[in-house]
Amino acid sequence: MVTFRHKIADPNGLHARSAAYLAQFGMGCGCRIRVACKGSAADARQLMGLMRLRAKCGDVLEFCVEGESEEQTAEKLKTFAGELL
């Protein structure tokens, strides 16, 4: 299991478009990805679950990646989050 945190820099926070991209990323990898923010958590493959996090600019997302190739997936996700959020 690999965990890391990412502070949202996008002024719009985790909005519909970025949540959709994150869900696509989650569906495209073979690992289980959990995203937590302010005491709530969601499966990265579930768009509505990500939207329910209501993560805003300045909030910290905690990512937990589990499964085969979790190290590589976590590195790709760090880059992805940095560009997206």
Side-chain angles (χ1 to χ4, degrees), residues 2 29-31 65-76:
V2 178
C29 71
C31 293
V65 183
E66 293 181 80
E68 289 185 32
S69 69
E70 60 192 25
E71 294 285 338
Q72 295 87 354
T73 300
E75 287 304 315
K76 288 179 186 176

Side-chain angles (χ1 to χ4, degrees), residues 5-68:
R5 292 173 179 234
H6 175 78
K7 185 174 182 178
I8 299 175
D10 186 326
N12 297 316
L14 183 61
H15 53 85
R17 183 175 296 154
S18 59
Y21 288 139
L22 183 55
Q24 284 181 326
F25 180 93
M27 286 187 272
C29 71
C31 293
R32 180 174 179 236
I33 303 172
R34 298 287 295 167
V35 184
C37 183
K38 301 181 283 189
S40 296
D43 183 330
R45 297 175 187 176
Q46 302 295 320
L47 175 60
M48 294 310 293
L50 292 170
M51 295 294 297
R52 280 188 208 105
L53 293 176
R54 295 189 174 150
K56 299 187 179 353
C57 183
D59 288 345
V60 176
L61 298 175
E62 184 171 338
F63 292 90
C64 179
V65 183
E66 293 181 80
E68 289 185 32

